Amino acid sequence: MTAATLVLVTTLYGATAAHADESPSVPPGTEATASAPVEVDPNDPDLKLPEGATLAEAKVLDIKQVVEEQSGDERREDTNADVKFALQAEVLFPKDSAKLNGEAKARIAAIAEEIKTQNATKIRVFGFTDNLGSAAHGDVLSKQRANAVEDILKSELNDPNITYEVRGYGEDYPIASNTTEASRKKNRRVEVSFPRSDN
C-alpha cells in the first residue's frame, strides 16, 4: 500500500466553523483549538526591539500531518491534540446502504487498535454524504452509517469508560467541491476522531 504524506502547518488562532457547499469546512465542535501562547512582556528590555517597534499579535501554530492512501480510500490526520481517520463510504458500505462490508470491519478494527494505543476515552464518529439526492435522505443515511461504525468500535473496544459522540451531517461540511464524481466520492465518508494521549 502506497501512501503519500503531506505535512501542513495551519494557523489555529481564530478558526471558526462555517457551512459551505463548495469549500472545505469542519463540523461544529471539531474546530482547531490550542492553548494560548506564552505571555510575552512587550516592554521587556531583553527583547531588544528597535525604537517604535511593537510585537505582532501572538498566534498559535499547530502542525498537521496528513497521510492519504493513493486511492484516497482512507485518510489519517494527526495534530498535536487529535487523531482523525476518514474512510470513504465506498470502502465501508454498498451504494446507498448503511450495512458494513467485511473489509470495512477490518479497517475499523485497525482504528480501534489506534484508539487503544492513544488511551482515548472520547470518540467522535461523524457521517457525511455528497450533495446528490435529497438533503433529508443524506442526513438519515449519514447518521445510519456513523451508527454502524460506532457499533463495530464498541464491540472492538468493549470499554464502558469510552463515550461516543455520533452524528450524521449529510451533505454539510464537504471536504471537496461536489462538482465532480471524484470530489463527491471524497465527501461520502465517515470520520472517526479522538484525542491524542500525552504519553
Side-chain angles (χ1 to χ4, degrees), residues 26-71:
V26 297
T30 61
E31 303 91 348
T33 59
S35 313
V38 176
E39 285 278 332
V40 177
D41 178 4
N43 300 315
D44 187 326
D46 290 335
L47 283 179
K48 298 184 172 119
L49 292 173
E51 179 103 13
T54 59
L55 289 175
E57 187 175 338
K59 294 183 180 180
V60 177
L61 300 179
D62 194 14
I63 296 175
K64 179 188 287 187
Q65 179 181 17
V66 179
V67 178
E68 185 172 286
E69 286 184 2
Q70 207 164 33
S71 63

Side-chain angles (χ1 to χ4, degrees), residues 15-21 23-33 64 75 77 82 84-86 124-129 139 142 146 165-176 186-187 189-193:
T16 58
H19 273 278
D21 293 329
S23 61
S25 58
V26 297
T30 61
E31 303 91 348
T33 59
K64 179 188 287 187
R75 175 183 175 101
E77 294 181 12
D82 297 296
K84 178 167 62 175
F85 289 89
R124 289 185 171 119
V125 185
F126 294 166
F128 304 87
T129 61
D139 289 346
S142 63
E165 181 182 353
V166 183
R167 294 187 185 168
Y169 284 106
E171 64 187 58
D172 292 340
Y173 310 107
I175 57 172
K186 288 187 177 209
N187 292 330
R189 68 198 189 279
V190 176
E191 294 180 352
V192 178
S193 59

Side-chain angles (χ1 to χ4, degrees), residues 68-69 71-75 86-88 91 103 107 185:
E68 185 172 286
E69 286 184 2
S71 63
D73 291 348
E74 185 173 328
R75 175 183 175 101
L87 298 169
Q88 285 187 356
V91 175
E103 181 187 349
R107 285 182 182 256
K185 187 176 178 184

Side-chain angles (χ1 to χ4, degrees), residues 9-15 32 59-62:
V9 177
T10 56
T11 303
L12 300 181
Y13 183 80
K59 294 183 180 180
V60 177
L61 300 179
D62 194 14

Side-chain angles (χ1 to χ4, degrees), residues 85 110-121 123 153 157 162 192 194:
F85 289 89
I111 293 172
E113 286 304 312
E114 181 65 20
I115 291 168
K116 288 177 189 174
T117 300
Q118 297 296 337
N119 297 313
T121 57
I123 301 169
L153 286 172
L157 296 168
I162 293 177
V192 178
F194 45 91

